[in-house]
Amino acid sequence: QQQVKQSPQSLIVQKGGISIINCAYENTAFDYFPWYQQFPGKGPALLIAIRPDVSEKKEGRFTISFNKSAKQFSLHIMDSQPGDSATYFCAASYNFNKFYFGSGTKLNVKP
Amino acid sequence: ETGVTQSPTHLIKTRGQQVTLRCSSQSGHNTVSWYQQALGQGPQFIFQYYREEENGRGNFPPRFSGLQFPNYSSELNVNALELDDSALYLCASSLGGPIYNEQFFGPGTRLTVL
């Protein structure tokens, strides 16, 4: 059973556009929802994270929107830049112990 | 402050062999988690060690085992290697405790099983 489902698998966005990646989770006990960015040959790096007691968190050009009742959360990248081209993973965790990752979205920002 | 390091970078083994992967946690961190990332997939949680004790395990068979040392570095051992074990193995370190702390990933070890 896949605990976290992520879509789309790949995304092409023009420079300056908005990139949107969606995730859905099953376990209502999850209490931490991070997004990771991974470049080729590197390990994932934390981009932004949210707790379920808030509906939105913004850090610079990156925003997480969280819908607890729908068990969904999404990452919005505003003013997307070619340097944002990477693979993005959503994840969910309970008590910061086991992390369940989505399958990833490969983002390509065209100049 | 040094980041998370892993060794070796790449490794090629044959089916049935055993392998040991190593991880040095970031300075000040006492928790290490290991993940398996198959090509084109997200990382899958293998297990976590907190202060030298296993603190959670994912859906992996017992031939995946680990160890954490007093300096909080860690090893991942895989016995009886299978072709499906070919993957990028990531470790992540964090400061465990009662509050949330970010985990920092190493660059991974690429294991190929022939």
Side-chain angles (χ1 to χ4, degrees):
Chain A
Q1 181 188 13
Q2 193 174 359
Q3 297 271 2
V4 179
K5 294 182 181 179
Q6 183 173 346
S7 63
Q9 189 174 1
S10 63
L11 185 59
I12 299 174
V13 173
Q14 289 296 126
K15 178 183 175 183
I18 302 174
S19 304
I20 302 174
I21 305 171
N22 301 300
C23 282
Y25 63 96
E26 292 293 325
N27 191 342
T28 55
F30 289 143
D31 56 7
Y32 180 69
F33 301 87
W35 284 91
Y36 290 87
Q37 180 188 57
Q38 186 175 28
F39 292 103
K42 303 284 189 181
L46 179 68
L47 198 59
I48 187 172
I50 198 168
R51 299 278 299 276
D53 51 351
V54 297
S55 60
E56 186 174 282
K57 183 174 181 181
K58 184 176 181 180
E59 289 184 1
R61 297 185 294 110
F62 302 94
T63 300
I64 299 179
S65 296
F66 187 83
N67 186 330
K68 190 173 181 178
S69 60
K71 294 190 289 184
Q72 295 175 346
F73 59 110
S74 60
L75 175 69
H76 291 66
I77 306 174
M78 313 300 286
D79 188 26
S80 298
Q81 300 296 312
D84 297 331
S85 297
T87 300
Y88 292 81
F89 295 97
C90 61
S93 170
Y94 170 68
N95 203 27
F96 213 73
N97 182 239
K98 296 180 185 181
F99 278 77
Y100 295 91
F101 281 75
S103 55
T105 296
K106 190 170 184 179
L107 172 65
N108 184 8
V109 181
K110 298 271 191 189
Chain B
E1 181 179 279
T2 57
V4 179
T5 60
Q6 292 185 244
S7 62
T9 306
H10 295 89
L11 201 53
I12 299 175
K13 291 286 188 177
T14 57
R15 196 169 44 179
Q17 286 188 310
Q18 177 266 343
V19 69
T20 298
L21 310 181
R22 295 178 174 83
C23 172
S24 291
S25 59
Q26 185 164 310
S27 176
H29 287 178
N30 55 15
T31 302
V32 173
S33 300
W34 284 92
Y35 295 85
Q36 180 194 67
Q37 186 176 21
L39 200 61
Q41 299 296 316
Q44 299 284 317
F45 176 79
I46 302 175
F47 42 58
Q48 182 186 85
Y49 279 84
Y50 171 62
R51 292 185 174 179
E52 302 179 60
E53 297 286 331
E54 188 177 291
N55 184 42
R57 188 178 182 92
N59 190 25
F60 280 81
R63 58 189 187 83
F64 285 79
S65 63
L67 199 58
Q68 187 178 33
F69 300 99
N71 67 355
Y72 302 128
S73 66
S74 178
E75 284 183 356
L76 165 65
N77 298 289
V78 187
N79 294 321
L81 284 167
E82 301 177 0
L83 297 179
D84 284 349
D85 295 335
S86 295
L88 180 68
Y89 288 85
L90 297 162
C91 79
S93 76
S94 59
L95 180 60
I99 61 173
Y100 293 109
N101 288 282
E102 176 183 350
Q103 60 179 349
F104 293 85
F105 282 85
T109 293
R110 172 73 62 186
L111 172 65
T112 302
V113 182
L114 302 176

